[in-house]
Amino acid sequence: DPEKYSFIIHGLVERPLAFTMEDLKRLPSVSMIRFLECLGNTGPRRHVSEGKNSPPVTVQYTHGIMSCNEWGGVPLSVLLKEVGVKKEASWVVAEGADGSKYTYCIPLTKAMDDCMVAYLQNGEPLRQEQGFPARLFVPGFGANHSVKWLRRLMITDEPYMTWDQSVHHAAARVDLGNKSRWFNFVWPPKSVITRPSAGLKLNAPGYYEITGLAWSGWGKVRKVDVSVDGGKSWKEAKLQDPILPMAHTRFNFDWTWNGEETVIMSRCTDDQGEVQPTLAELNRNWGRTEKDRLEPISNTHYWNAIQPWKIAKDGSITDVLFA
Amino acid sequence: DPEKYSFIIHGLVERPLAFTMEDLKRLPSVSMIRFLECLGNTGPRRHVSEGKNSPPVTVQYTHGIMSCNEWGGVPLSVLLKEVGVKKEASWVVAEGADGSKYTYCIPLTKAMDDCMVAYLQNGEPLRQEQGFPARLFVPGFGANHSVKWLRRLMITDEPYMTWDQSVHHAAARVDLGNKSRWFNFVWPPKSVITRPSAGLKLNAPGYYEITGLAWSGWGKVRKVDVSVDGGKSWKEAKLQDPILPMAHTRFNFDWTWNGEETVIMSRCTDDQGEVQPTLAELNRNWGRTEKDRLEPISNTHYWNAIQPWKIAKDGSITDVLFA
């Protein structure tokens, strides 16, 4: 019941306060178009069909656990100024009102920068499954930070080792002796060709437009390169307006298919100069060995490897990331 | 049935051609976030309650026949190059496949500039009522130009006096001896405060954020001024990113209500310097007399008058454009 809803900000603050929906709607608001991507999106386990009679793996399955929406709500900085954050504070612990008391924490610097308590999605009240009536929204970070059904924000002077952040959303690293890097925040640059992609079929040789999405949690997309020869050569794609920070950006690439088997793929570079890695580079970044690499069920997050799609002579298209 | 769908381009062209959905999807595509507004939106008849027991007039009723979406499809210029437009051509007549053979025409210069044959709305196939499988999309013009269920485009060397354009969508002008200006294309700059607006109620004096939308068919919104004293004084509002051409742009304005009766309103200026007119100025522009002005049922289009909302001492809010 949104009439009864409130969430509290407490901890290292001058004036702990509860905010109702009416309070939130009276405060200054902001809206932003930003992507939201699950930590596990495109991880190895999503490149495997679920069984003999399952439909083939498509881009909707490998890359589908993400979205790009207009989020509206109150800047978290406005709320934190209302309660008066104490000098020694440095972290914000967010707790949801769901059964599991889902809890995640973020640095105070990010909270003061561009986070919001969101109550609108694409101009409408949040849907129930999106955290109605209000959720935290943390742009550019893994979606798990954007705690739904927000119940409280606790201001602390150290990070909390929350159960969700540690058990579900940390990945053991071989290069750290199987310890985890506990906190992972920003989604690195990423892109995917959505058309043509696995499960679709080209009817005949000739002109095709390659199109897809690119994004980066660090900021805007600077450029997207496309290869139509399995990565031997790359050419720059056209970007479509609007190019917004931390938002899906559409790219297009003119291509004439000669009817031969080939592999197509895209590579995003963001405005910090960060480049989307190949599978081999990503494995090195994450300290994964060749053996891990071939175990598609391992727990992996922030997976931003370049996605290759193989086009067979008959025009059928398949996912070949682990081929 | 989208499999059987096709539309033709004929008339003053080198090669008349039919395009199927498969053809369209293979051609280069573009997407753009643009408003679409019915010619009759906010006209006088929409400021009158429909009867004694009708719900009160709200901003959804006065300003609701419009939207802002991401439209995706093939640039019309690409299709026109395929068919080879002849030198003497200067107009494009578009016909829909609905029962009425809805027909509207636009200048060829606009068709070559930024129009598209759209088959996607917000990334999904068009809905049936939006013209599935394909419609014309004419950015910045009155929505009536964006013909749904597109069946044919005829290229001509003169404008067509189509029934829809003349009978339904032309307004007699007193200053032209009750003749009409036949063709009206571009939506002039416009804005509206959506919160607080008619039908809502302020609970108590104190801080409120005034927020609303601004747009112009001529391009980007340059600034929005807000008055909280019935138009005596104006202050500039904050604009929210992204500010896109021919798209709804959100504005925000901090306000402390002192509890006295007042009138609030907003005024848009676009990047060409065009300014949203008052009701009196708009009437002068359209050659309307004082008598017309008070006849809210008269046929009026492209209505972009500044919208005042009156706030009573008890916090209730009403539409006072014709008060």
Side-chain angles (χ1 to χ4, degrees):
Chain A
D1 184 353
E3 300 263 328
K4 288 184 190 150
Y5 173 82
S6 76
F7 77 93
I8 55 171
I9 305 183
H10 68 126
L12 294 174
V13 300
E14 304 294 343
R15 298 166 295 279
L17 284 173
F19 294 90
T20 64
M21 283 311 294
E22 202 191 321
D23 295 333
L24 287 182
K25 288 186 178 172
R26 283 189 63 171
L27 286 166
S29 67
V30 72
S31 78
M32 46 175 91
I33 296 173
R34 296 290 182 268
F35 78 83
L36 194 59
E37 181 172 11
C38 171
L39 303 193
N41 198 30
T42 67
R45 76 174 72 189
R46 301 194 67 78
H47 292 263
V48 183
S49 178
E50 291 192 346
K52 215 174 173 183
N53 297 314
S54 300
V57 170
T58 67
V59 65
Q60 177 62 32
Y61 187 69
T62 59
H63 289 69
I65 330 176
M66 61 171 182
S67 62
C68 189
N69 289 277
E70 183 188 3
W71 298 95
V74 182
L76 191 47
S77 60
V78 167
L79 301 173
L80 293 176
K81 279 171 199 159
E82 285 288 312
V83 297
V85 172
K86 290 188 177 169
K87 251 192 202 162
E88 60 270 35
S90 59
W91 284 77
V92 176
V93 185
E95 185 184 285
D98 54 317
S100 73
K101 293 188 189 171
Y102 182 86
T103 308
Y104 237 76
C105 64
I106 59 171
L108 182 63
T109 47
K110 177 69 176 175
M112 293 299 282
D113 179 19
D114 61 357
C115 297
M116 69 160 87
V117 174
Y119 53 83
L120 295 173
Q121 184 181 10
N122 296 330
E124 298 175 356
L126 293 186
R127 298 189 185 178
Q128 181 55 41
E129 66 274 22
Q130 287 294 336
F132 179 83
R135 75 182 296 175
L136 191 61
F137 187 75
V138 183
F141 280 25
N144 305 53
H145 296 85
S146 290
V147 173
K148 297 172 181 177
W149 311 289
L150 190 62
R151 176 155 70 179
R152 64 175 172 134
L153 293 171
M154 182 167 56
I155 313 303
T156 63
D157 58 356
E158 51 181 21
Y160 257 48
M161 306 299 160
T162 83
W163 189 82
D164 300 288
Q165 225 152 355
S166 61
V167 177
H168 273 175
H169 302 131
R173 295 189 56 155
V174 177
D175 58 338
L176 304 177
N178 278 320
K179 288 185 181 172
S180 295
R181 256 189 68 202
W182 196 293
F183 298 107
N184 293 291
F185 297 125
V186 179
W187 261 105
K190 193 165 170 179
S191 70
V192 62
I193 293 171
T194 53
R195 202 177 71 199
S197 63
L200 299 176
K201 196 173 174 187
L202 305 187
N203 284 336
Y207 174 84
Y208 288 92
E209 178 177 59
I210 291 175
T211 182
L213 300 169
W215 61 100
S216 170
W218 290 111
K220 290 186 182 181
V221 172
R222 179 193 292 169
K223 68 165 181 161
V224 176
D225 299 309
V226 167
S227 175
V228 294
D229 57 10
K232 285 200 269 296
S233 68
W234 295 85
K235 277 187 192 160
E236 205 166 325
K238 287 169 284 178
L239 300 183
Q240 280 195 14
D241 281 327
I243 302 169
L244 301 173
M246 301 174 236
H248 285 170
T249 300
R250 175 68 62 183
F251 65 86
N252 300 71
F253 187 86
D254 295 316
W255 177 49
T256 302
W257 181 45
N258 61 11
E260 294 300 311
E261 179 181 305
T262 192
V263 171
I264 63 173
M265 55 181 90
S266 64
R267 180 177 67 194
C268 173
T269 302
D270 70 20
D271 61 0
Q272 296 216 346
E274 288 283 321
V275 181
Q276 185 179 7
T278 62
L279 179 59
E281 288 166 343
L282 181 132
N283 277 315
R284 275 200 299 279
N285 292 349
W286 278 84
R288 288 161 62 88
T289 63
E290 186 62 21
K291 185 171 151 292
D292 297 326
R293 195 181 87 77
L294 297 170
E295 301 232 2
I297 56 160
S298 12
N299 201 14
T300 50
H301 303 304
Y302 292 90
W303 190 268
N304 71 327
I306 289 172
Q307 172 63 50
W309 306 117
K310 184 166 86 181
I311 296 167
K313 279 195 172 188
D314 69 355
S316 62
I317 309 171
T318 47
D319 173 20
V320 290
L321 190 59
F322 293 97
Chain B
D1 183 351
E3 301 263 328
K4 289 186 193 149
Y5 173 83
S6 75
F7 76 94
I8 55 172
I9 305 183
H10 67 124
L12 294 174
V13 300
E14 303 294 342
R15 296 167 297 278
L17 284 173
F19 294 90
T20 65
M21 284 312 293
E22 203 191 318
D23 295 333
L24 288 181
K25 288 187 178 172
R26 281 190 64 172
L27 286 166
S29 67
V30 71
S31 79
M32 46 176 90
I33 296 173
R34 296 291 183 268
F35 78 83
L36 194 60
E37 182 172 8
C38 172
L39 303 192
N41 199 30
T42 68
R45 75 175 71 188
R46 302 195 66 78
H47 292 263
V48 182
S49 179
E50 292 192 344
K52 213 175 176 182
N53 296 314
S54 300
V57 169
T58 67
V59 65
Q60 177 61 32
Y61 187 70
T62 58
H63 289 69
I65 329 177
M66 60 171 181
S67 62
C68 189
N69 288 276
E70 182 188 5
W71 298 96
V74 182
L76 191 46
S77 59
V78 168
L79 301 172
L80 293 175
K81 279 170 200 160
E82 285 289 312
V83 297
V85 171
K86 290 188 178 168
K87 251 191 201 163
E88 59 270 35
S90 59
W91 284 78
V92 176
V93 185
E95 184 184 286
D98 56 315
S100 74
K101 294 188 190 173
Y102 182 88
T103 309
Y104 237 76
C105 64
I106 59 170
L108 183 62
T109 47
K110 177 68 175 176
M112 293 300 281
D113 180 18
D114 62 355
C115 297
M116 69 159 91
V117 174
Y119 54 81
L120 295 173
Q121 186 181 11
N122 296 330
E124 297 173 358
L126 293 186
R127 299 192 183 174
Q128 181 55 42
E129 67 273 22
Q130 288 293 335
F132 179 83
R135 75 183 296 176
L136 191 62
F137 187 76
V138 183
F141 280 26
N144 306 52
H145 297 84
S146 291
V147 173
K148 298 172 181 176
W149 311 289
L150 189 63
R151 177 157 68 179
R152 64 175 171 135
L153 294 172
M154 182 167 56
I155 313 303
T156 63
D157 59 357
E158 52 180 18
Y160 258 48
M161 306 296 162
T162 83
W163 189 82
D164 300 288
Q165 226 152 356
S166 61
V167 176
H168 273 175
H169 302 131
R173 295 189 55 153
V174 177
D175 58 340
L176 305 177
N178 276 321
K179 289 186 184 173
S180 294
R181 253 189 71 201
W182 197 292
F183 298 106
N184 293 292
F185 296 127
V186 179
W187 260 106
K190 194 165 171 180
S191 70
V192 62
I193 292 171
T194 54
R195 203 177 70 201
S197 64
L200 299 177
K201 195 173 176 187
L202 305 186
N203 284 336
Y207 173 84
Y208 288 91
E209 178 177 58
I210 291 175
T211 183
L213 300 169
W215 62 100
S216 170
W218 290 110
K220 290 187 183 182
V221 172
R222 179 193 291 168
K223 68 165 182 163
V224 176
D225 299 308
V226 168
S227 174
V228 294
D229 57 11
K232 284 201 270 294
S233 68
W234 296 85
K235 277 186 191 160
E236 205 167 327
K238 287 168 286 179
L239 300 183
Q240 280 195 15
D241 281 324
I243 303 168
L244 302 173
M246 301 173 234
H248 285 169
T249 299
R250 174 68 64 181
F251 65 86
N252 300 72
F253 187 85
D254 295 315
W255 177 49
T256 300
W257 181 45
N258 61 11
E260 292 302 311
E261 179 181 304
T262 191
V263 171
I264 62 173
M265 55 182 90
S266 64
R267 180 177 67 193
C268 173
T269 303
D270 70 19
D271 61 359
Q272 296 215 347
E274 287 284 320
V275 182
Q276 185 179 5
T278 62
L279 179 60
E281 289 165 343
L282 181 132
N283 277 316
R284 275 200 301 277
N285 292 348
W286 277 85
R288 288 163 62 88
T289 63
E290 186 63 18
K291 183 172 153 292
D292 297 325
R293 195 182 86 79
L294 296 171
E295 302 235 358
I297 56 158
S298 15
N299 202 13
T300 49
H301 303 303
Y302 292 89
W303 190 269
N304 70 327
I306 289 172
Q307 172 63 50
W309 305 119
K310 184 166 85 179
I311 296 167
K313 278 195 174 188
D314 69 355
S316 61
I317 309 169
T318 46
D319 173 20
V320 289
L321 190 60
F322 293 96

